[in-house]
């Protein structure tokens, strides 16, 4: 059992690390962009807070229903106790099998020849040396603390979030054989894998949220209107 208490000295808890990966995968699934090379930056901070910025391609600003769908998909995975797996592999094997799926925007230097990998089926495959939960329910719940901010010039979407994990939770994911390339290939395609409609979210998907991330009114995802507190 690992401590889930996020402090200034140790903000990167297994729950925070797992939440960051889950949110990255959920965003890609709903908005229909490749997981590979999409993450621009990520961090965890004291108090079980986190932040992740992803590149979403040429599709433009997401709509309020799409933002709500991302949140619902995360919380559905939490409620379903979606498993988390890890494995180790050579970099050459990973690159041959998965292309760039397992990399963020910045990739490790060529001197790194072996990779630790985390795999959340249906969501993400990523090279990482962090520690993770055994299942996603250890995240507790996830909500956005600010309306996600879209940077039109950089085609980036920035999320700030908070999780509510239990005080302790198993943090030794089961090791699994490397997934077959065909199993994870859909994660690296520019296709929608979870639509708002499939997650019970209604509204005009074509109506983009404000680019500055300060949407107002019904359907926005600001914590003030409750958009950040719904779960599947």
């Amino acid at each position: 059992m690992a401590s889930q208490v996020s402090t200034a000295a140790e903000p990167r808890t297994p729950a925070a690390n797992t939440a960051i990966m889950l949110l990255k995968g959920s965003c890609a699934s709903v908005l229909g962009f490749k997981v590979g090379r999409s993450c621009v930056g990520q961090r965890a901070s004291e108090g079980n807070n986190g932040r992740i910025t992803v590149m979403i391609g040429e599709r433009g600003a997401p709509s309020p229903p799409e933002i709500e769908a991302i949140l619902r998909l995360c919380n559905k995975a939490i409620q379903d106790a979606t498993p988390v797996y890890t494995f180790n592999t050579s970099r050459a094997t990973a690159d041959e099998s998965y292309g760039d799926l397992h990399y963020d925007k910045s990739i490790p230097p060529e001197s790194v020849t072996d990779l630790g990998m985390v795999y959340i089926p249906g969501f993400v495959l990523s090279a990482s040396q962090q520690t993770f939960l055994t299942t996603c329910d250890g995240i507790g719940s996830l909500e956005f603390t600010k309306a996600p901010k879209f940077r039109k010039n950089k085609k980036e979407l920035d999320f700030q979030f908070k999780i509510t994990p239990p005080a302790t939770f198993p943090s030794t994911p089961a090791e699994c054989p490397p997934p077959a390339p065909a199993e994870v290939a859909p994660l690296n395609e520019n296709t929608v894998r979870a639509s708002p409609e499939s997650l019970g979210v209604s509204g005009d998907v074509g109506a983009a949220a404000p680019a500055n991330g300060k949407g107002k009114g019904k359907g926005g995802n600001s914590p003030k209107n409750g958009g950040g507190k719904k779960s599947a």
Side-chain angles (χ1 to χ4, degrees), residues 29 34 43-44 65 79 89 94 113 125 133 140 149 170-171 173 183 188 216 225 229:
S29 291
K34 296 169 54 175
R43 69 179 178 86
Q79 292 178 356
T89 185
T113 58
L125 174 70
L133 301 170
K149 184 176 182 179
S171 62
E183 179 181 344
N188 223 27
K216 298 180 180 180
N225 60 34
K229 297 184 181 296

Short mmCIF file of all heavy atoms in Angstrom, two decimals, residues 29 34 43-44 65 79 89 94 113 125 133 140 149 170-171 173 183 188 216 225 229:
data_model
loop_
_atom_site.label_atom_id
_atom_site.label_comp_id
_atom_site.label_asym_id
_atom_site.label_seq_id
_atom_site.Cartn_x
_atom_site.Cartn_y
_atom_site.Cartn_z
N SER A 29 -9.38 10.40 -26.89
CA SER A 29 -10.49 9.56 -27.33
C SER A 29 -11.71 10.39 -27.73
O SER A 29 -12.36 10.10 -28.73
CB SER A 29 -10.89 8.59 -26.20
OG SER A 29 -9.89 7.63 -25.98
N LYS A 34 -4.35 11.73 -32.09
CA LYS A 34 -3.39 10.69 -31.73
C LYS A 34 -2.84 10.92 -30.32
O LYS A 34 -2.51 12.05 -29.96
CB LYS A 34 -2.22 10.69 -32.72
CG LYS A 34 -2.59 10.33 -34.15
CD LYS A 34 -1.44 10.62 -35.11
CE LYS A 34 -0.15 9.95 -34.66
NZ LYS A 34 0.94 10.13 -35.65
N ARG A 43 2.22 18.13 -14.78
CA ARG A 43 2.80 18.26 -13.45
C ARG A 43 1.74 17.97 -12.41
O ARG A 43 0.54 18.08 -12.66
CB ARG A 43 3.41 19.64 -13.22
CG ARG A 43 2.42 20.78 -13.13
CD ARG A 43 3.16 22.10 -12.88
NE ARG A 43 2.27 23.24 -12.84
CZ ARG A 43 1.63 23.65 -11.74
NH1 ARG A 43 1.79 22.97 -10.60
NH2 ARG A 43 0.84 24.71 -11.76
N ALA A 44 2.19 17.58 -11.23
CA ALA A 44 1.34 17.40 -10.07
C ALA A 44 1.79 18.37 -9.01
O ALA A 44 2.97 18.73 -8.92
CB ALA A 44 1.42 15.96 -9.56
N PRO A 65 -19.96 20.32 -24.70
CA PRO A 65 -20.28 18.90 -24.56
C PRO A 65 -19.05 17.99 -24.66
O PRO A 65 -18.98 16.95 -23.98
CB PRO A 65 -21.25 18.64 -25.72
CG PRO A 65 -21.89 19.96 -25.97
CD PRO A 65 -20.79 20.96 -25.74
N GLN A 79 -14.77 4.73 -11.93
CA GLN A 79 -15.84 3.92 -11.35
C GLN A 79 -15.76 2.46 -11.78
O GLN A 79 -16.11 1.55 -11.03
CB GLN A 79 -17.20 4.51 -11.74
CG GLN A 79 -17.47 5.86 -11.09
CD GLN A 79 -18.78 6.47 -11.52
OE1 GLN A 79 -19.49 5.94 -12.38
NE2 GLN A 79 -19.12 7.62 -10.95
N THR A 89 10.60 -2.81 -21.61
CA THR A 89 10.95 -3.27 -22.94
C THR A 89 12.13 -2.46 -23.46
O THR A 89 12.43 -1.38 -22.94
CB THR A 89 9.75 -3.14 -23.91
OG1 THR A 89 10.09 -3.71 -25.18
CG2 THR A 89 9.37 -1.68 -24.12
N ALA A 94 10.01 -1.21 -28.65
CA ALA A 94 8.84 -0.34 -28.51
C ALA A 94 8.65 0.52 -29.75
O ALA A 94 7.53 0.66 -30.26
CB ALA A 94 9.00 0.54 -27.27
N THR A 113 18.06 3.43 -23.71
CA THR A 113 17.83 2.26 -24.57
C THR A 113 16.76 1.31 -24.03
O THR A 113 16.34 0.41 -24.75
CB THR A 113 19.14 1.48 -24.75
OG1 THR A 113 19.64 1.08 -23.47
CG2 THR A 113 20.19 2.34 -25.47
N LEU A 125 -0.95 4.27 -23.86
CA LEU A 125 0.29 3.52 -23.70
C LEU A 125 1.40 4.55 -23.69
O LEU A 125 1.50 5.36 -24.62
CB LEU A 125 0.48 2.53 -24.85
CG LEU A 125 1.82 1.77 -24.86
CD1 LEU A 125 1.88 0.76 -23.72
CD2 LEU A 125 2.04 1.06 -26.19
N LEU A 133 -1.06 3.40 -9.95
CA LEU A 133 -2.00 2.57 -9.23
C LEU A 133 -2.16 1.22 -9.90
O LEU A 133 -1.77 1.04 -11.06
CB LEU A 133 -3.37 3.26 -9.17
CG LEU A 133 -3.43 4.64 -8.51
CD1 LEU A 133 -4.79 5.28 -8.77
CD2 LEU A 133 -3.16 4.53 -7.02
N GLY A 140 -10.10 8.01 -7.02
CA GLY A 140 -11.22 8.53 -6.24
C GLY A 140 -12.25 9.21 -7.10
O GLY A 140 -13.33 8.69 -7.36
N LYS A 149 -8.43 25.50 -20.95
CA LYS A 149 -8.05 26.66 -21.76
C LYS A 149 -7.48 26.21 -23.10
O LYS A 149 -6.52 25.44 -23.14
CB LYS A 149 -7.03 27.51 -21.01
CG LYS A 149 -6.63 28.78 -21.73
CD LYS A 149 -5.69 29.61 -20.86
CE LYS A 149 -5.30 30.92 -21.56
NZ LYS A 149 -4.39 31.72 -20.69
N PRO A 170 -3.26 0.27 -3.22
CA PRO A 170 -2.20 -0.53 -3.85
C PRO A 170 -1.60 0.19 -5.06
O PRO A 170 -2.33 0.73 -5.89
CB PRO A 170 -2.93 -1.80 -4.28
CG PRO A 170 -4.09 -1.90 -3.35
CD PRO A 170 -4.51 -0.49 -3.09
N SER A 171 -0.28 0.21 -5.13
CA SER A 171 0.37 0.95 -6.21
C SER A 171 1.44 0.12 -6.91
O SER A 171 2.48 0.66 -7.32
CB SER A 171 1.00 2.24 -5.68
OG SER A 171 1.99 1.94 -4.73
N PRO A 173 1.18 -1.97 -10.06
CA PRO A 173 0.37 -2.53 -11.15
C PRO A 173 0.87 -3.89 -11.59
O PRO A 173 2.07 -4.19 -11.51
CB PRO A 173 0.55 -1.49 -12.27
CG PRO A 173 0.95 -0.23 -11.58
CD PRO A 173 1.76 -0.67 -10.40
N GLU A 183 -3.57 -4.12 -31.08
CA GLU A 183 -4.44 -3.81 -29.94
C GLU A 183 -4.41 -2.32 -29.60
O GLU A 183 -5.44 -1.74 -29.20
CB GLU A 183 -4.00 -4.63 -28.73
CG GLU A 183 -4.81 -4.38 -27.47
CD GLU A 183 -4.33 -5.21 -26.29
OE1 GLU A 183 -3.58 -6.19 -26.52
OE2 GLU A 183 -4.70 -4.88 -25.15
N ASN A 188 -3.53 5.61 -31.65
CA ASN A 188 -2.67 6.54 -32.38
C ASN A 188 -3.27 6.93 -33.73
O ASN A 188 -2.54 7.18 -34.69
CB ASN A 188 -1.27 5.94 -32.58
CG ASN A 188 -0.18 6.97 -32.32
OD1 ASN A 188 -0.39 7.92 -31.56
ND2 ASN A 188 0.97 6.80 -32.93
N LYS A 216 -18.90 30.74 -20.12
CA LYS A 216 -19.95 31.03 -19.17
C LYS A 216 -21.24 30.45 -19.66
O LYS A 216 -21.43 30.18 -20.84
CB LYS A 216 -20.11 32.55 -18.98
CG LYS A 216 -18.87 33.25 -18.41
CD LYS A 216 -19.11 34.72 -18.25
CE LYS A 216 -17.89 35.44 -17.69
NZ LYS A 216 -18.13 36.89 -17.54
N ASN A 225 -20.52 26.37 -12.54
CA ASN A 225 -21.82 25.91 -13.00
C ASN A 225 -21.97 24.40 -12.85
O ASN A 225 -22.89 23.81 -13.40
CB ASN A 225 -22.08 26.33 -14.46
CG ASN A 225 -21.06 25.79 -15.42
OD1 ASN A 225 -20.57 24.69 -15.23
ND2 ASN A 225 -20.73 26.55 -16.45
N LYS A 229 -18.05 18.82 -11.74
CA LYS A 229 -18.36 17.92 -10.65
C LYS A 229 -19.18 16.71 -11.08
O LYS A 229 -19.60 15.93 -10.26
CB LYS A 229 -19.12 18.68 -9.55
CG LYS A 229 -18.27 19.80 -8.93
CD LYS A 229 -19.00 20.47 -7.80
CE LYS A 229 -18.17 21.59 -7.20
NZ LYS A 229 -16.94 21.11 -6.59
#
